[in-house]
Amino acid sequence: MSNKRFIIPIIAAFFSVSASITFAVSSADKELEFMKWKHFTITPSLPGSSWGTGGIGVADFNGDGNPDVAVSRRETKTAYWFERKDDATWVRHTIATSEHLERTLGTATLDMDQDGWIDVVFWGVWFKNPGKTALPDSAWKAFPYDGGGHDIISADISGDNILDLVSYDGHVLCWFDPAKNLSKSVILDGRNDHGGIAPRGVGDLNGDGHPDIVIPGLWLENPGQGRGTWRSHSWPHEPVKNASYGTSMRVWVADINSDGVNDIVYSDCDTGFSHVYWVENREAGKKWYRHQLPDPPGDSRTGSFHSLGIADLNQDGNLEIFAGEQEDPDTYMMSNGLLPMKPPGLKERGVIWIRIKGADPVFKPIVIHEDNPGWHDAVLFDMDGDGDLDIINKVWNADSPNYHMDFWRNDIKGR
C-alpha cells in the first residue's frame, strides 16, 4: 500500500474469540458439499495502533510439530511469531526489530541458509531461525538483502529441489538463490504495477517442466534453471479502471479445468470494485480465455480481494477458489477520482467458489463470513493436522481499533 494513509474511524462491533458457522445448500445443488468453519482469534490486538501488517508466514518454527505464524508491524518495526499451542491458544514471541520492517508487506518462509530450520523473509531483510535450543525467546539474527517488495514468495526456480526467493516491488521482478549465497537474478524491470506475483504466481505454463512466473498481463518463460533471458508472453489480464493504488492482483497458477495444463487464477486487489477470474490456458500458453467468476451474493459492490487461495477445500475432488475482501476504510483517494479501497458501508466477505461438477467449470460463490474480521494475504494451511486446509488471515488497515490475526478451522471432516 502507499505510505500515505489516513485512518477514518468507523464504529463496528468486534468479534468473539470463537464462533461456529455452518453453510448448507439446497438439494437442487447436490454437488455443493456441506461446509463448516470455526473461527478462532490468534490475537485480538497486534502491537501498535496504525496500519501496516506484513505477512503471513506459516511454518513449524520451533520443531514441535505444530505450524506457527509470523507477521511484522510497520509501526513497531518488529517481526513476531505466534507459537501454536492448540486452536484457541497462541503465544506471541518477538523475532527481531529492523528498520527494513517500516515498509514491509510481503513475507515468505523458507530455509535461507540450509541449516534445516525455516527462516522468515520480509522486504529487504531476512531473519535466521536460531533453532529449537534457542527458541522461543532468543532474538533471530537479521540479514539484509537487495530485494523485497509488495510480493515475496518462495518457489524452486532453479530446479535443484531447494526453495528460492522471488520478489516483486511492482517495478523489478527478481529471484534469489539460497544455494548460491543468495545470488540475485533480475527477470524483468521497468514495470509500474502495485503488486502481482503472490501468493502463488509460479508454475509451468508451457509444459516444458520449468516453473514460469505470472505478473499482471505477462507471463515470464523460465529459460531453464532460472538463468538467462526470460521471454515475456501476454495473457488477458483486465485492469480495474481508476484503481485505488494502480494495477495490482493476487494470483495462483493451478489446473482449474483438470485438463492437465496449468491455468491462471487472479483477483483484483488494492482497490475497491475488484473481481475474481480464472484464465484458461490453451495451446501451452499461446492462447488464453478469461472467465469472470460471479461476484459474491448480497451487496453488489465489492472490495479489495487481497486474499486468494486454490485448493480442494471441501474434499469433493475439485479445486475450489477462495478470496477475501480486505478490511480497509481508506477513501481519501476518491478526491483524486480514484476508487475507494472499500465502498463505504460494505461489509467485507470471505468467499469460497465451489465448482459444480461438469466438463466445463462452473463456480458458485458461498460467503463463509461477512464483516470483521476482514481478509488480507490469508494463507491456506493445515493448521490442526487433520488433512484439510484451514485459513489464517490478518488485517492491514483496520476499520476498528484492533489490529488482529485470525484462524478459521475447516471442519469439513466433522460434518
Side-chain angles (χ1 to χ4, degrees):
M1 313 305 304
S2 167
N3 282 335
K4 184 177 180 182
R5 306 296 291 257
F6 298 88
I7 304 301
I8 300 175
I10 295 177
I11 299 174
F14 205 60
F15 41 85
S16 64
V17 171
S18 176
S20 183
I21 302 175
T22 301
F23 300 90
V25 297
S26 67
S27 58
D29 292 326
K30 294 181 180 179
E31 297 89 349
L32 301 183
E33 289 288 348
F34 194 72
M35 301 193 71
K36 298 170 65 178
W37 297 82
K38 189 170 184 178
H39 170 238
F40 298 88
T41 299
I42 295 175
T43 175
S45 183
L46 289 164
S49 59
S50 183
W51 60 272
T53 307
I56 302 167
V58 181
D60 179 8
F61 296 126
N62 59 356
D64 67 353
N66 285 321
D68 311 299
V69 298
V71 295
S72 67
R73 293 284 289 146
R74 288 192 174 193
E75 183 179 352
T76 63
K77 303 177 188 178
T78 302
Y80 310 90
W81 70 281
F82 288 79
E83 181 183 3
R84 181 184 179 273
K85 298 294 187 180
D86 56 46
D87 292 342
T89 308
W90 302 75
V91 180
R92 190 182 83 205
H93 305 284
T94 297
I95 292 176
T97 298
S98 169
E99 292 296 320
H100 291 280
L101 297 178
E102 189 174 18
R103 60 177 182 166
T104 196
L105 189 147
T107 304
T109 54
L110 65 157
D111 187 355
M112 292 286 281
D113 54 1
Q114 306 303 300
D115 67 351
W117 291 94
I118 301 300
D119 310 303
V120 182
V121 186
F122 294 97
W123 189 331
V125 63
W126 68 273
F127 297 99
K128 176 180 171 59
N129 188 332
K132 188 172 185 177
T133 57
L135 293 175
D137 297 317
S138 295
W140 300 34
K141 188 175 180 180
F143 293 88
Y145 72 101
D146 182 25
H150 187 277
D151 294 351
I152 303 173
I153 63 175
S154 61
D156 182 9
I157 299 299
S158 61
D160 61 359
N161 296 315
I162 297 174
L163 286 177
D164 305 303
L165 183 69
V166 186
S167 72
Y168 188 45
D169 63 3
H171 305 285
V172 179
L173 174 66
C174 55
W175 72 279
F176 301 83
D177 190 344
K180 296 185 177 180
N181 199 29
L182 215 63
S183 64
K184 178 180 179 179
S185 300
V186 174
I187 297 169
L188 184 71
D189 62 13
R191 295 280 295 185
N192 190 29
D193 298 322
H194 189 71
I197 62 168
R200 196 173 295 179
V202 178
D204 183 6
L205 295 174
N206 59 356
D208 66 356
H210 302 297
D212 308 304
I213 299 178
V214 177
I215 63 173
L218 292 178
W219 67 272
L220 290 309
E221 182 181 348
N222 189 333
Q225 300 181 333
R227 310 293 179 182
T229 301
W230 292 61
R231 294 177 57 195
S232 298
H233 307 271
S234 63
W235 65 275
H237 173 259
E238 179 71 19
V240 176
K241 187 177 180 180
N242 299 322
S244 307
Y245 289 99
T247 299
S248 192
M249 69 178 188
R250 305 285 83 183
V251 61
W252 198 291
V253 174
D255 181 6
I256 295 301
N257 57 353
S258 305
D259 65 352
V261 177
N262 280 325
D263 309 298
I264 296 171
V265 178
Y266 79 95
S267 62
D268 305 313
C269 69
D270 295 304
T271 182
F273 299 93
S274 293
H275 304 288
V276 182
Y277 303 83
W278 80 275
V279 187
E280 185 177 355
N281 185 352
R282 297 178 178 177
E283 298 183 19
K286 296 183 177 66
K287 293 184 179 180
W288 299 85
Y289 186 80
R290 186 180 65 244
H291 307 264
Q292 181 176 333
L293 273 61
D295 290 335
D299 197 321
S300 61
R301 305 169 301 169
T302 56
S304 163
F305 284 111
H306 213 292
S307 290
L308 180 71
I310 314 299
D312 183 5
L313 293 170
N314 63 357
Q315 299 191 342
D316 67 348
N318 295 309
L319 292 177
E320 281 76 54
I321 298 172
F322 161 78
E325 295 167 312
Q326 73 184 84
E327 176 183 332
D328 195 318
D330 272 354
T331 57
Y332 70 85
M333 62 283 294
M334 295 176 69
S335 63
N336 294 322
L338 301 177
L339 297 173
M341 276 295 293
K342 184 176 70 171
L346 176 71
K347 295 180 178 180
E348 54 273 280
R349 294 156 291 189
V351 186
I352 294 175
W353 283 265
I354 297 181
R355 179 178 171 179
I356 308 300
K357 292 181 180 178
D360 297 319
V362 175
F363 290 92
K364 179 171 181 176
I366 293 179
V367 176
I368 67 169
H369 185 71
E370 186 175 21
D371 209 359
N372 291 155
W375 311 81
H376 190 269
D377 285 349
V379 174
L380 303 183
F381 202 94
D382 184 4
M383 300 301 295
D384 55 359
D386 67 350
D388 54 35
L389 293 179
D390 312 297
I391 304 173
I392 300 289
N393 68 288
K394 47 89 173 177
V395 65
W396 174 258
N397 188 20
D399 58 15
S400 74
N402 299 281
Y403 280 80
H404 49 85
M405 187 159 54
D406 303 273
F407 163 45
W408 295 85
R409 189 180 70 198
N410 186 345
D411 285 347
I412 189 69
K413 285 196 169 184
R415 68 181 186 271

